[in-house]
Amino acid sequence: MSIPSTQTVAWIEDPGPSGKLTIRSGVSIQEPSQDEILVKLDCSGICHSDCRNIFGMGKYTDIPGHEGVGEVVKLGPGAKETLMGKRVGIKWLYSSCKKCSACKKGNINNCSKQSNTGRTTLGTLQQYVVAHADFVSLIPDGVKSEVAAPLLCAGLSLAGAVSKLAPEVEAGEFVVIVGAGGGLGHIGVQIATIKGYKVIAIDSGAEKEQLAKEMGSVAFIDYAKQDVVQAVKDLTDGEGAHGLICVAGSERAYQQAPQLIRNNGVFVCVGLPPDDFMFPMSPIHIANRGLVIRGSSTGTSEQMDELLQLAKEGKITPKIEVYDFEESPKIIQELDKYEVTGRKVVRAPV
Ligand SMILES: [Zn+2]
Ligand SMILES: [Zn+2]
């Protein structure tokens, strides 16, 4: 296969509050170096956290995107030869150190020396992306690229988050998912339901309600129309849920969430509010109520493989809409306003 020298990408101009994503052509294609591969992308999901890159909420590279699927077209020195021609998924975790205590326990997603796609290396909103050979996921035959894409960040993040409910929260108990109709949340509803939890979905609007119910939630609470605290209590014998996953990144969601769980409940933090927002809970309440607070950022390799397998078996069915690459800037604007139900995926330019 002949590889061109330049390509079309989605480029961040002026990252910060007035940052913009723009379509730019004539951008060089990178060469894979030690242990790296070059992937010709089929498609890429666009995640709410890509908004952070564009609006300057941290230090990122010029090209966002961390849910890419495509074919390996070139190997750098040291990369496994068996990868050539394979269809792979590129995730937020570009690489981990393999040496720290988190890595040794298999929690590569919590490595303190990790590199990240779109943060330390260029993201997947390109035609060709360089990835680390040891950290891409093989996409099983029978799983379409556009179905696999949202599993690489959205799906994996929620597989990781749902796993953090155990051992305290048991099958048959109530789990609230705040932000249940978005890209991450709706897959979380499905994963938590498969694991036997009774999911109470919180989000807003008829479209997100319908999606949350299709994914298996036993109840839906519209935060724009209902008293959320009272509605959760009414569904859970007055005590609140046994566990909660806060997928929404809004300050309001984090402020309200502790009131939605019962004593000894488990609170899993996933959504990313602005960096200067502090956790809104008194240590006295955490102590007296015996609450468990856990953080979750993406997931492990095993969780990724399990998720792809479940997708192959038709048990995980993300709601996706596929768009042309040129729509990427518009999708970012919609994500920023929490207007996207499910996940929007863009086709790489041909
Ligand atoms: Zn993401
Ligand atoms: Zn490490």
Side-chain angles (χ1 to χ4, degrees):
M1 177 182 296
S2 75
I3 299 164
S5 57
T6 64
Q7 58 166 342
T8 298
V9 306
W11 186 276
I12 304 169
E13 259 171 32
D14 190 22
S18 57
K20 269 200 183 73
L21 194 64
T22 54
I23 307 299
R24 194 181 273 202
S25 53
V27 176
S28 300
I29 293 171
Q30 292 185 294
E31 277 294 315
S33 50
Q34 185 67 36
D35 300 324
E36 288 181 332
I37 53 178
L38 185 68
V39 178
K40 182 177 193 297
L41 288 157
D42 292 340
C43 63
S44 184
I46 304 187
C47 180
H48 190 271
S49 69
D50 288 316
C51 294
R52 295 174 61 84
N53 306 34
I54 290 139
F55 302 120
M57 297 160 77
K59 258 185 96 59
Y60 297 94
T61 64
D62 293 323
I63 299 172
H66 51 264
E67 285 186 346
V69 181
E71 186 193 335
V72 180
V73 291
K74 194 171 186 179
L75 303 175
K80 291 181 283 251
E81 278 175 26
T82 50
L83 277 174
M84 192 66 188
K86 291 277 165 40
R87 199 163 54 113
V88 296
I90 296 133
K91 306 180 289 294
W92 169 246
L93 186 77
Y94 169 87
S95 68
S96 76
C97 79
K98 302 182 180 176
K99 291 181 190 134
C100 71
S101 56
C103 282
K104 282 186 179 155
K105 284 183 181 164
N107 299 323
I108 55 175
N109 48 317
N110 298 127
C111 174
S112 61
K113 293 181 184 147
Q114 64 185 272
S115 293
N116 301 106
T117 311
R119 186 178 70 85
T120 49
T121 64
L122 294 177
T124 58
L125 288 176
Q126 309 190 71
Q127 286 176 281
Y128 291 85
V129 67
V130 162
H132 194 298
D134 298 348
F135 292 89
V136 292
S137 301
L138 287 173
I139 308 297
D141 290 342
V143 180
K144 289 183 186 161
S145 295
E146 61 268 30
V147 171
L151 301 181
L152 298 168
C153 172
L156 182 58
S157 295
L158 268 289
V162 170
S163 78
K164 298 282 174 90
L165 293 165
E168 291 87 354
V169 188
E170 295 173 12
E173 295 184 329
F174 285 107
V175 172
V176 164
I177 297 185
V178 184
L184 281 76
H186 83 287
I187 307 177
V189 172
Q190 203 166 38
I191 296 170
T193 302
I194 288 171
K195 300 288 178 191
Y197 298 121
K198 289 192 281 194
V199 178
I200 299 171
I202 300 179
D203 215 314
S204 185
E207 212 184 339
K208 289 183 174 178
E209 173 170 6
Q210 194 196 341
L211 178 57
K213 288 190 170 158
E214 276 168 25
M215 299 313 255
S217 68
V218 297
F220 181 87
I221 299 167
D222 190 323
Y223 66 77
K225 293 185 188 155
Q226 289 173 269
D227 176 340
V228 172
V229 176
Q230 192 56 48
V232 170
K233 290 209 164 134
D234 289 347
L235 289 162
T236 56
D237 308 322
E239 287 201 67
H242 303 81
L244 178 145
I245 300 173
C246 192
V247 182
S250 72
E251 299 184 5
R252 172 93 186 105
Y254 274 98
Q255 277 155 350
Q256 187 174 62
Q259 301 169 58
L260 308 181
I261 44 172
R262 64 182 62 197
N263 289 2
N264 295 139
V266 179
F267 185 138
V268 184
C269 305
V270 180
L272 307 175
D275 287 353
D276 57 358
F277 178 71
M278 291 297 131
F279 198 74
M281 276 202 83
S282 144
I284 298 171
H285 283 143
I286 299 171
N288 287 348
R289 298 182 55 200
L291 298 180
V292 178
I293 298 170
R294 295 205 171 102
S296 188
S297 174
T298 74
T300 65
S301 305
E302 292 72 29
Q303 285 163 347
M304 188 74 249
D305 292 341
E306 184 192 356
L307 202 53
L308 288 166
Q309 188 55 37
L310 287 168
K312 187 177 172 173
E313 291 165 16
K315 292 177 183 156
I316 290 285
T317 53
K319 176 184 160 51
I320 43 164
E321 288 174 16
V322 183
Y323 291 85
D324 286 340
F325 194 73
E326 288 69 27
E327 298 289 315
S328 304
K330 185 164 166 259
I331 295 168
I332 286 288
Q333 298 294 336
E334 293 167 354
L335 283 165
D336 187 44
K337 288 182 246 158
Y338 293 98
E339 287 172 357
V340 177
T341 300
R343 185 56 115 213
K344 292 193 172 179
V345 174
V346 291
R347 276 181 288 266
V350 185

